[in-house]
Amino acid sequence: MSPAPFREAAPYRADPRSRAMTVCAALTLGLGAAALFLPAPYVVESPGPTFNTVGTVKNDSGGETPLIEIEGRTSYPTNGELDLTTVYVAGGPGSNMGFLEAVGAWLNPQDAVVPEEFVYPRGTTGEDVDEQNAAAMTSSQEAAVAAALRELEIPFTEELSVAELVEGSPAAGSLQVGDALVRVDGTDIDGIDTLRTQLQDSAGEAVEVGFRRDGVEQSASITPEQGENGNYQLGIFLATSFEFPFEVTIALDNVGGPSAGMMFALGIVDRLTPEQLTGGKHFAGTGTIDSAGNIGAIGGIQQKMVGASDAGAQFFLAPADNCGEVVGNIPDGLGVVRVATLDEARSAVQALASGTNPADLPQCTAG
């Protein structure tokens, strides 16, 4: 038998669909691997530390310094805790947050993950954020001192001046940047509330605004316009300067933003009154404050309530304007009370210190 002829193996013909699937799988794996190392355009907010405004903080020499120090007026020892609360922020301008970190935060119910552009305007740099936070903290501290002194009926001087005019504003052509506002319709302006009240009382009619420019007092008739919130406005941004009868120093580094204002003000009130405000109990809270004592909304309140609970707080003071985020997110065992002014916050602390049930004080409700 003659040997069978040698036959060369036929060439392998690949299925085009298989090749496409292989290429797609490789691309998917490559992109997935790359995503693990690429920065994610999100910001993660998580519970941060708390600081007792009537307690102490470490100083540069390793010792302890009162967080609030008062010079030039009698102050009193305190007990208990009035904690300001903070939020850790990961991501944002000047920092990179990896994809895995963002995914991990999504899976953590204590964290909030939001698109970066919702928190920082486009083009904002890390330096911008630092400067804005530092300026907001300084402004918050000054407003807190003013609000506390007004609550305690201690006189001080407050001056409002024009920081900027809104384009096409009612005040354009009458007021200039740097003008100090002195009176409205014959009523001396001793704070932002006086200005707001006079403008509201005008009901849109022209008001006579007295101002000081280069040391010379002048006046102009200006017709306020009603804003989207229903308030009558001159169309200006205000700068505020204060002259206090004694010195209040707040020693707190590496914390920025305006949200500690209410707790600073409560701490100052506690230090300036012989009675101990807290009754030895552990309070925490958050909220911006203006010189008239109005408490405003802040960001990250869910994380701040968690941080307060983790620090052992029994009670939490929440801005009324944040109630929509409070309902359904209160940690177990934390009594939360709704407040809109410094007077309400002070009254709530006094009531809770004396044994009042938090449920018997103003609460955040659904809807």
Side-chain angles (χ1 to χ4, degrees), residues 84-250:
L84 66 88
T85 50
T86 66
V87 172
Y88 280 125
V89 178
S95 62
N96 291 325
M97 181 178 62
F99 179 78
L100 280 181
E101 188 177 356
V103 171
W106 262 309
L107 298 175
N108 187 340
Q110 294 186 353
D111 293 345
V113 183
V114 294
E116 181 179 319
E117 62 186 22
F118 285 11
V119 181
Y120 305 106
R122 291 184 183 276
T124 301
T125 65
E127 290 76 14
D128 292 337
V129 174
D130 291 342
E131 289 177 4
Q132 291 163 8
N133 281 339
M137 174 59 83
T138 299
S139 176
S140 171
Q141 292 175 359
E142 292 177 342
V145 176
L149 268 57
R150 184 166 274 126
E151 174 71 13
L152 297 174
E153 299 182 350
I154 298 173
F156 64 94
T157 300
E158 178 178 5
E159 184 174 89
L160 303 179
S161 60
V162 180
E164 186 180 344
L165 282 89
V166 177
E167 186 177 353
S169 75
S174 298
L175 297 178
Q176 297 179 9
V177 172
D179 288 348
L181 303 185
V182 178
R183 63 185 60 87
V184 176
D185 278 347
T187 299
D188 289 343
I189 298 174
D190 59 1
I192 187 67
D193 258 10
T194 302
L195 177 61
R196 288 171 178 164
T197 299
Q198 291 300 115
L199 294 179
Q200 285 303 103
D201 289 348
S202 75
E205 297 294 324
V207 295
E208 193 71 16
V209 178
F211 58 94
R212 186 171 59 254
R213 180 183 298 164
D214 298 328
V216 179
E217 288 201 12
Q218 306 178 44
S219 65
S221 179
I222 303 174
T223 303
E225 290 183 354
Q226 196 168 28
E228 294 181 358
N229 58 4
N231 294 330
Y232 288 96
Q233 304 167 351
L234 297 177
I236 58 177
F237 291 101
L238 293 170
T240 309
S241 59
F242 302 98
E243 187 175 332
F244 300 121
F246 50 88
E247 187 174 354
V248 179
T249 303
I250 297 176

Side-chain angles (χ1 to χ4, degrees), residues 11-29:
Y12 171 72
R13 297 176 180 268
D15 186 336
R17 291 172 299 176
S18 297
R19 181 178 297 174
M21 291 174 64
T22 301
V23 171
C24 288
L27 285 173
T28 300
L29 288 172

